[in-house]
């Protein structure tokens, strides 16, 4: 008898209503609802908080978390696993552990022994083609929460590969989503990829396209960021741009323009149409959150900005980058980082976003007297209850006698 076919749920598990109360209890916040209803403004004594008009859980994360809770209920008595973090938020991942979901990324788990009795939830940012094939071959029941916006990027990358274009992916090479996206490029024999982190790396590759250069040096620089057997002289002749959905929109667009110019310089205007492709693959939720902080910074005279979200959350780090250009910005993982009115623990803006350990403590972060105006936003993987707790802590630290009770 052959191994059973894997079940792949893509359209929901029909238990949405059953878990709605559980999700609301775990992640909603009356405080945030109240601030939102008050035109995204909270005033208490000397403190004013302006909340960005788009913040927190995006549609993809909302759905992924919902599916995870549904999966736990739908398969009672069976082991339910996540391949790793479902999203980059420590609080949400901890809550899922409490709900009984196990993480294959934990050192004591062994994914190779899973079989038809096991349920595996695939995260919002997807898994690699290889991991998907392996789990399917093992007969696991797969609950696929890959976000539609990520699937859209994959569709473009597969098309590039099919047509013999190398995917130039603006992203973080170690990020799960970028690894999954890059693996899509290898579905066809002609498929290739190269990942660039930022303008600086893009400029190096663009120079090579224009004038050639030291091939070995280029391959060494990008040794962990290219497809196997990558040949820059062959594989940079026809390119298509894509990005990790959570990168900085302005930077992605600029990088796309840099590559367009490089191809034009090398091959001429007439060749551009057959050698260069680009699609806008930043997701709308990321863009809306970035646009909202730009508007907030333009409209309000802020003393400081607080950005809440996991330190390995790409979209949160990029929100912090935007804010830090205009105002003192503290990227905090959760409310416990607001230690006291004297001290805040935070990730320095621009530090590597792949680590959860890089933090610093800043003293005297909150003005001691007089009116204080704080801007607040949260990454796409941060639930409202965390945002609500941050507002309450800000309130406590800036407290005056007339502060209303927000609990
Ligand atoms: S950030 Fe965008 S791509 Fe990622 S899960 Fe949210 S909506 Fe989907």
């Amino acid at each position: 008898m052959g191994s059973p076919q894997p079940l792949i749920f893509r359209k929901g598990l029909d238990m949405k209503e059953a878990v709605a109360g559980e999700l609301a209890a775990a992640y909603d916040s009356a405080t945030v609802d109240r601030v939102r209803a008050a035109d995204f403004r909270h005033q208490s004594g000397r403190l004013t908080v302006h909340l960005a008009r788009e913040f927190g859980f995006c549609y993809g994360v909302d759905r992924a978390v919902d599916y995870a809770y549904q999966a736990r209920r739908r398969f009672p008595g069976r082991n339910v696993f996540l391949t790793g973090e479902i999203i980059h938020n420590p609080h949400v991942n901890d809550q899922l552990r409490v709900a009984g979901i196990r993480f294959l990324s934990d050192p004591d788990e062994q994914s190779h022994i899973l079989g038809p009795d096991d349920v595996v939830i695939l995260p919002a940012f997807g898994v690699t083609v290889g991991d998907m094939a392996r789990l399917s071959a093992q007969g696991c029941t797969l609950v696929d929460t890959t976000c539609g916006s990520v699937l859209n990027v994959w569709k473009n990358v597969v098309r590039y590969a099919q047509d013999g274009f190398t995917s130039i992916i603006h992203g973080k090479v170690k990020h799960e989503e970028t690894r999954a996206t890059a693996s899509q490029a290898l579905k066809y024999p002609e498929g290739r990829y190269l990942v660039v982190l930022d303008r600086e790396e893009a400029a190096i590759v663009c120079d090579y396209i224009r004038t050639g250069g030291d091939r070995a040096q280029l391959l060494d620089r990008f040794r962990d960021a290219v497809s196997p057997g990558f040949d820059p002289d062959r594989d940079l002749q026809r390119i298509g741009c894509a990005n990790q959905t959570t990168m900085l929109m302005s930077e992605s667009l600029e990088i796309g323009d840099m590559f367009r110019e490089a191809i034009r310089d090398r091959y001429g205007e007439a060749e551009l149409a057959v050698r260069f492709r680009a699609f806008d693959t930043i997701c709308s939720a990321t863009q809306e959150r970035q646009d909202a902080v730009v508007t907030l910074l333009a409209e309000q005279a802020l003393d400081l900005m607080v950005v809440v979200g996991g330190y390995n959350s790409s979209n949160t780090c990029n929100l912090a980058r935007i804010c830090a250009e205009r105002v003192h910005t503290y990227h905090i993982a959760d409310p416990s980082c607001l230690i006291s009115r004297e001290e805040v623990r935070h990730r320095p803006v621009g530090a590597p976003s792949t680590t959860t350990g890089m933090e610093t403590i800043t003293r005297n972060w909150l003005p001691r007297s007089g009116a204080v105006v704080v801007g607040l936003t949260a990454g796409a993987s941060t639930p409202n209850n965390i945002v609500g707790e941050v507002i309450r802590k800000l309130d406590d630290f800036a407290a005056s006698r007339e502060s209303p009770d927000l609990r």
Side-chain angles (χ1 to χ4, degrees):
M1 206 170 80
S3 60
Q5 285 299 303
L7 294 170
I8 300 185
F9 293 93
R10 290 191 187 278
K11 295 190 184 309
L13 307 178
D14 299 327
M15 302 198 77
K16 194 170 177 59
E17 284 186 13
V19 300
E22 209 176 342
L23 288 168
Y27 303 119
D28 283 0
S29 162
T31 301
V32 168
D33 292 345
R34 205 153 41 225
V35 173
R36 194 185 255 130
D39 202 24
F40 294 84
R41 184 172 186 273
H42 167 70
Q43 176 81 54
S44 176
R46 70 188 186 99
L47 173 73
T48 305
V49 176
H50 291 287
L51 185 58
R53 286 178 182 271
E54 295 291 343
F55 66 94
F57 268 17
C58 59
Y59 49 84
V61 164
D62 225 9
R63 175 172 161 278
V65 174
D66 182 19
Y67 275 26
Y69 279 81
Q70 289 192 50
R72 182 59 283 174
R73 285 217 182 194
R74 171 81 166 71
F75 303 105
R78 290 172 67 178
N79 289 324
V80 178
F81 296 93
L82 268 160
T83 51
E85 295 190 335
I86 189 165
I87 56 173
H88 289 143
N89 184 279
H91 171 74
V92 174
N93 290 305
D94 288 349
Q95 293 279 94
L96 291 171
R97 285 181 196 276
V98 170
I101 295 173
R102 291 161 59 182
F103 284 58
L104 290 175
S105 50
D106 286 353
D108 48 347
E109 299 289 4
Q110 300 181 61
S111 64
H112 66 277
I113 61 170
L114 301 188
D117 288 338
D118 297 306
V119 179
V120 182
I121 303 166
L122 311 180
F125 28 67
V127 296
T128 64
V129 172
D131 283 347
M132 178 69 124
R134 186 174 47 76
L135 291 166
S136 294
Q138 288 174 230
C140 302
T141 298
L142 301 182
V143 177
D144 187 358
T145 79
T146 309
C147 179
S149 295
V150 175
L151 294 174
N152 181 45
V153 180
W154 292 1
K155 193 176 69 187
N156 286 311
V157 166
V158 169
R159 200 173 295 140
Y160 292 156
Q162 205 172 3
D163 296 345
F165 281 66
T166 292
S167 288
I168 304 288
I169 303 168
H170 174 215
K172 294 170 180 167
V173 75
K174 290 187 179 160
H175 191 286
E176 296 94 325
E177 182 189 319
T178 291
R179 283 197 274 124
T181 297
S183 76
Q184 293 287 323
L186 304 181
K187 277 185 166 174
Y188 286 86
E190 297 297 303
R192 310 272 188 269
Y193 68 81
L194 183 152
V195 180
V196 293
L197 174 65
D198 52 22
R199 294 182 192 91
E200 186 198 335
E201 289 198 350
I204 293 169
V205 182
C206 287
D207 283 349
Y208 197 92
I209 290 173
R210 281 194 182 87
T211 57
D214 190 329
R215 185 174 180 280
Q217 197 177 23
L218 186 90
L219 285 173
D220 186 51
R221 168 78 191 238
F222 290 96
R223 62 186 174 280
D224 299 322
V226 291
S227 45
F230 190 86
D231 178 351
D233 299 313
R234 177 195 62 193
D235 298 330
L236 292 174
Q237 294 186 21
R238 297 208 299 165
I239 60 171
C241 293
N243 31 37
Q244 189 179 313
T245 53
T246 50
M247 300 305 277
L248 201 57
M249 174 74 160
S250 54
E251 190 174 47
S252 280
L253 291 175
E254 203 178 313
I255 285 173
D257 288 345
M258 288 166 71
F259 277 101
R260 180 186 285 108
E261 291 305 311
I263 292 287
R264 182 186 279 130
D265 290 349
R266 172 73 191 265
Y267 299 103
E269 181 76 30
E271 286 282 300
L272 202 54
V274 294
R275 292 185 182 274
F276 179 81
R277 290 185 190 172
F279 290 90
D280 176 5
T281 53
I282 295 282
C283 82
S284 58
T286 295
Q287 193 179 335
E288 285 163 7
R289 279 150 188 71
Q290 292 177 7
D291 290 347
V293 287
V294 169
T295 303
L296 177 60
L297 292 162
E299 289 181 347
Q300 307 297 340
L302 304 173
D303 293 306
L304 60 105
M305 187 81 202
V306 175
V307 179
V308 198
Y311 295 153
N312 54 349
S313 160
S314 169
N315 79 89
T316 311
C317 294
N318 284 327
L319 289 173
R321 278 176 71 190
I322 293 171
C323 298
E325 287 177 7
R326 298 284 300 274
V327 66
H328 285 303
T329 297
Y330 302 101
H331 174 182
I332 62 171
D334 59 53
S336 72
C337 294
L338 301 180
I339 301 168
S340 67
R341 68 192 73 198
E342 278 80 38
E343 288 188 333
V344 60
R345 194 176 67 243
H346 60 104
R347 168 189 169 274
V349 176
S353 63
T354 49
T355 173
T356 53
M358 186 166 289
E359 286 184 312
T360 189
I361 290 182
T362 295
R363 288 186 58 78
N364 301 322
W365 64 284
L366 194 65
R368 283 165 181 264
S369 59
V372 55
V373 183
V374 178
L376 178 62
T377 191
S381 45
T382 306
N384 279 359
N385 64 318
I386 295 292
V387 178
E389 279 181 47
V390 168
I391 294 172
R392 287 196 295 271
K393 273 207 148 177
L394 287 169
D395 228 26
D396 286 347
F397 292 161
S400 61
R401 286 200 182 153
E402 63 271 24
S403 297
D405 182 12
L406 283 169
R407 265 160 277 264

